[in-house]
Amino acid sequence: MPPKFYGLPKIHKVNIPLRPIVSSIDSITYSSAKFLAEILSPLVGNSIHHVVNSLEFSKLIKNKRVEEDEELRSYEVTALFTSVPVDKSLEIIHTRLQNDPTLSNRTTVTPQQIIKLLEVCLRCTYTFYQQIRGAAMGSPVSPVVCNLYMEDMEQLTALHPPIWWYRYVDDTHTKLKKAHAQEFTDHLNSLDPDIKFTTEGEVNRSLAFLDTLTLLVSPKDKSQKKDITGAIYHIPCQGKTTSGKCKDSYIGESERTLKTRFLEHCRPSSTSSEIFQHIHIESPGHHVDLAQVNFLDREPRHFERGVKEAIHIRVNKPTLNRDVGRHKLPKIYDPSRVRKITCPKSV
Ligand SMILES: [Zn+2]
């Protein structure tokens, strides 16, 4: 069966452009691409720049300092999947496989055979349409190829590299010296003629990245965090267990200030609060700390805040949440359904 080509509307962008998807399920290269993704996946993410999700990211940059002469900046690759150069990617992946001492634990196939099969999967254009460049969005192996290509690219050979560079697929959060921002942007865009980075700086001392918003708070008004309204927040338990720190946590949202909502969770009359239940009933002695609350997002609109909360709960699976949040996400977001759709044979 040939792959199916369709477009997904990017509703957050002007004029609602379509994201092209080539769904390769049941196509002749599907099983091979899936096999390759399993072999290549362990190579991804062995980099200090790699971010797994927005919660991990918010922990990474929490309480980090940004000096007067520094700024936060995000970089995004324009159409990474359809721009990634196939030849160069094959070369990079070949080298990574040759230097991987654990490859023989995963497969008996040689690096050269893997690259041959990968080339077939990336270049197979069937009879109906032709992909001129890049890796098809919708093939199981494409995200791995894009990640490995980006990892090679971000070995940041710049004269003045950023102080941090945290990347999730094609989206990057950086901190750099204001004086070096333009030079670094030019450097990124000179690395590969096919790969173009767009960049955004701070707006009102905040920067959007993935589904988070980084707020810059100066030390003298650090108390501002507790005064944030309309927040989606993550409260990790600070208690101790026999095996170390308690891993339980809670994600919630409120239109009121973070502090008001936090105190509400803890006070004795809040018997229905999941936090109260945990620290007073299930695990007496455990406690929570307002200073340790992670600020995940901010959304003043009621409905939209509920949707964001539900997404954060769905992605991060906080152990103390009893339900899916105020908003019920449609079933299409259900990970088990997604898995059923993308790999019908293994379910
Ligand atoms: Zn606890």
Side-chain angles (χ1 to χ4, degrees), residues 12-208:
H12 58 294
K13 297 218 166 148
V14 183
N15 294 333
I16 316 187
L18 290 180
R19 182 194 301 284
I21 308 282
V22 184
S23 169
S24 63
I25 296 165
D26 292 335
S27 72
I28 51 169
T29 59
Y30 182 71
S31 301
S32 307
K34 217 171 156 281
F35 166 75
L36 288 169
E38 276 165 29
I39 290 179
L40 298 177
S41 291
L43 298 177
V44 177
N46 304 320
S47 142
I48 49 162
H49 307 297
H50 187 254
V51 174
V52 181
N53 57 35
S54 50
L55 184 62
E56 189 207 61
F57 168 72
S58 68
K59 284 180 186 163
L60 270 172
I61 63 153
K62 189 174 154 188
N63 297 331
K64 287 257 167 74
R65 283 180 67 91
V66 177
E67 304 296 341
E68 271 302 300
D69 63 340
E70 297 170 341
E71 67 173 39
L72 299 181
R73 187 156 277 286
S74 70
Y75 288 95
E76 189 185 351
V77 180
T78 310
L80 173 63
F81 279 66
T82 46
S83 305
V84 68
V86 172
D87 284 332
K88 183 91 194 290
S89 303
L90 291 171
E91 220 174 274
I92 291 165
I93 295 169
H94 196 187
T95 310
R96 290 285 297 270
L97 287 168
Q98 283 173 323
N99 295 330
D100 178 9
T102 65
L103 179 65
S104 55
N105 302 339
R106 300 198 291 282
T107 180
T108 52
V109 185
T110 66
Q112 207 176 352
Q113 289 166 326
I114 293 172
I115 293 301
K116 263 194 170 169
L117 187 58
L118 182 59
E119 184 165 12
V120 171
C121 289
L122 291 175
R123 292 210 199 277
C124 181
T125 55
Y126 305 87
T127 328
F128 301 97
Y129 39 76
Q130 186 175 2
Q131 179 149 340
I132 300 163
R133 58 199 168 108
M137 215 183 243
S139 167
V141 79
S142 295
V144 187
V145 170
C146 290
N147 264 316
L148 290 172
Y149 177 78
M150 287 301 292
E151 281 184 17
D152 184 75
M153 202 174 185
E154 71 196 358
Q155 290 171 2
L156 306 177
T157 49
L159 194 57
H160 301 108
I163 298 144
W164 72 61
W165 167 275
Y166 295 129
R167 183 178 55 81
Y168 180 79
V169 192
D170 56 353
D171 233 342
T172 304
H173 189 288
T174 66
K175 179 179 86 163
L176 31 66
K177 295 273 186 206
K178 283 176 183 164
H180 299 149
Q182 188 58 48
E183 176 196 298
F184 181 69
T185 306
D186 293 343
H187 168 77
L188 279 180
N189 279 317
S190 70
L191 290 173
D192 190 319
D194 290 326
I195 301 288
K196 286 288 157 251
F197 288 85
T198 55
T199 181
E200 273 176 30
E202 297 159 19
V203 178
N204 295 331
R205 296 179 60 74
S206 67
L207 183 71

Side-chain angles (χ1 to χ4, degrees), residues 159-273:
L159 194 57
H160 301 108
I163 298 144
W164 72 61
W165 167 275
Y166 295 129
R167 183 178 55 81
Y168 180 79
V169 192
D170 56 353
D171 233 342
T172 304
H173 189 288
T174 66
K175 179 179 86 163
L176 31 66
K177 295 273 186 206
K178 283 176 183 164
H180 299 149
Q182 188 58 48
E183 176 196 298
F184 181 69
T185 306
D186 293 343
H187 168 77
L188 279 180
N189 279 317
S190 70
L191 290 173
D192 190 319
D194 290 326
I195 301 288
K196 286 288 157 251
F197 288 85
T198 55
T199 181
E200 273 176 30
E202 297 159 19
V203 178
N204 295 331
R205 296 179 60 74
S206 67
L207 183 71
F209 177 66
L210 303 180
D211 51 0
T212 71
L213 191 66
T214 313
L215 292 183
L216 284 177
V217 181
S218 54
K220 54 180 180 297
D221 53 22
K222 206 161 184 189
S223 58
Q224 267 184 2
K225 181 169 125 184
K226 68 179 174 38
D227 299 324
I228 291 171
T229 54
I232 292 112
Y233 55 85
H234 171 247
I235 304 180
C237 177
Q238 301 300 315
K240 295 259 187 311
T241 66
T242 46
S243 53
K245 189 177 169 292
C246 176
K247 291 200 167 61
D248 288 323
S249 69
Y250 177 81
I251 286 178
E253 58 82 26
S254 176
E255 68 172 338
R256 288 161 299 139
T257 67
L258 209 53
K259 186 183 180 188
T260 309
R261 187 69 189 113
F262 178 83
L263 293 176
E264 219 171 58
H265 274 302
C266 308
R267 73 175 178 229
S269 57
S270 306
T271 48
S272 64
S273 154

